[in-house]
């Protein structure tokens, strides 16, 4: 997930549209307040951060992010309309991974984002999602529940991966249909319920991690 903090709604919408079109998940925020509220729910894979913002500016947001326990490792690309050497140097000195001078092209932005993600990705990383006694190895496409490998259908696997990539996030049935069965797929929301029931059964005790959110849909969180 890429977060774009940009107060110009036209620029923000174009950035998000471009990121979606090039295969990234992305969300946009007009100011620091909205950004921090989102970070508390889900930490981003990368932040595209404008320097000139209402309220808390980009430099202050970067300082605050880098002071957080998990924020030090989140890649940040600063965007500045000033084009001054001071802004670039200040951002880089505070831990920004790259910068874009406005106005910038969308393809340049995508190229910079991909380069930063490649550069900041730790070598030898194994893509594993964990929750309690449940583990999903995305490289091997395997699932282990309480130490026992579980065989899932493709849709069950995608459903589980979606839940574990966004712990505690409530998904509506329509959102799950759109993400897993793809938009426009001729299927009823009841299909989601059937797959969740099957997934819970196959996961055994770990199936309790999948919670029903009454009137909404489902979310996943570890049972205390």
């Amino acid at each position: 997930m890429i977060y774009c903090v940009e107060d110009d709604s036209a620029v923000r919408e174009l950035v998000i549209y471009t990121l979606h079109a090039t295969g990234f998940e992305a969300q946009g925020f007009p100011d620091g307040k909205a950004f921090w509220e989102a970070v508390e729910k889900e930490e981003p894979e990368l932040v595209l951060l404008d320097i000139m913002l209402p309220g808390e500016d980009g430099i202050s947001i970067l300082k605050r992010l880098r002071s957080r326990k998990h924020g030090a490792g989140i890649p940040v690309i600063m965007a500045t309309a000033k084009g001054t050497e001071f802004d670039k140097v200040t951002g880089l000195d505070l831990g920004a991974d790259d910068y874009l001078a406005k106005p910038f092209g969308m393809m340049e932005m995508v190229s910079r984002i991909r380069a930063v993600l490649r550069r900041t990705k730790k070598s030898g990383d194994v893509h594993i999602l964990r929750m309690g006694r449940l583990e999903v190895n995305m490289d091997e496409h395997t699932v282990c529940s309480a130490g026992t490998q579980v065989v899932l259908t493709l849709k069950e696997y995608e459903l589980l991966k979606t839940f574990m990539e966004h712990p505690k996030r409530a998904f509506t049935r329509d959102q799950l249909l759109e993400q897993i069965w793809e938009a426009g797929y001729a299927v009823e929301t009841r299909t989601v319920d059937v797959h969740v029931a099957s997934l819970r059964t196959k996961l055994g005790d770990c199936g309790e991690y999948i919670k029903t959110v009454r009137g909404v849909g489902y979310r996943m969180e570890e049972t205390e």
Side-chain angles (χ1 to χ4, degrees), residues 163 169-171 196 200 207-214 217-224:
F163 283 141
R169 174 178 168 181
F171 288 92
V196 168
R200 280 172 168 162
E208 297 179 358
Y209 299 162
I210 304 175
K211 312 293 186 183
T212 299
V213 183
R214 190 175 299 276
Y218 300 97
R219 74 166 179 266
M220 195 165 191
E221 61 181 323
E222 187 174 353
T223 302
E224 297 182 0

Side-chain angles (χ1 to χ4, degrees), residues 9 53 66 100-101 118 120 122 137 142-143 146 164 170 186 197 214:
S9 60
L53 292 168
R66 289 294 182 245
L100 283 165
R118 285 195 301 269
T120 56
K122 297 177 182 178
N137 187 317
T142 57
V143 177
M164 291 187 68
R214 190 175 299 276

Side-chain angles (χ1 to χ4, degrees), residues 40-53:
E40 292 302 320
K41 298 176 182 177
E42 179 184 359
E43 291 188 350
E45 185 180 7
L46 179 144
V47 179
L48 181 61
L49 180 61
D50 189 24
I51 288 182
M52 300 298 292
L53 292 168

Side-chain angles (χ1 to χ4, degrees), residues 5-8 12 29-32 48-61 78-84 86-87 100 102:
V5 191
E6 166 63 62
D7 62 319
D8 186 319
R12 187 173 66 248
F29 310 97
D31 53 35
L48 181 61
L49 180 61
D50 189 24
I51 288 182
M52 300 298 292
L53 292 168
E56 187 178 15
D57 64 27
I59 294 296
S60 297
I61 290 174
M78 304 295 292
T80 173
K82 291 182 178 179
T84 65
F86 175 79
D87 287 325
L100 283 165
K102 288 183 174 180

Side-chain angles (χ1 to χ4, degrees), residues 99-123:
Y99 68 88
L100 283 165
K102 288 183 174 180
F104 52 82
M106 291 297 103
M107 290 305 100
E108 178 191 3
M109 174 195 72
V110 172
S111 178
R112 292 285 188 93
I113 287 173
R114 285 175 173 160
V116 168
L117 289 175
R118 285 195 301 269
R119 194 164 68 239
T120 56
K121 182 177 180 293
K122 297 177 182 178
S123 60

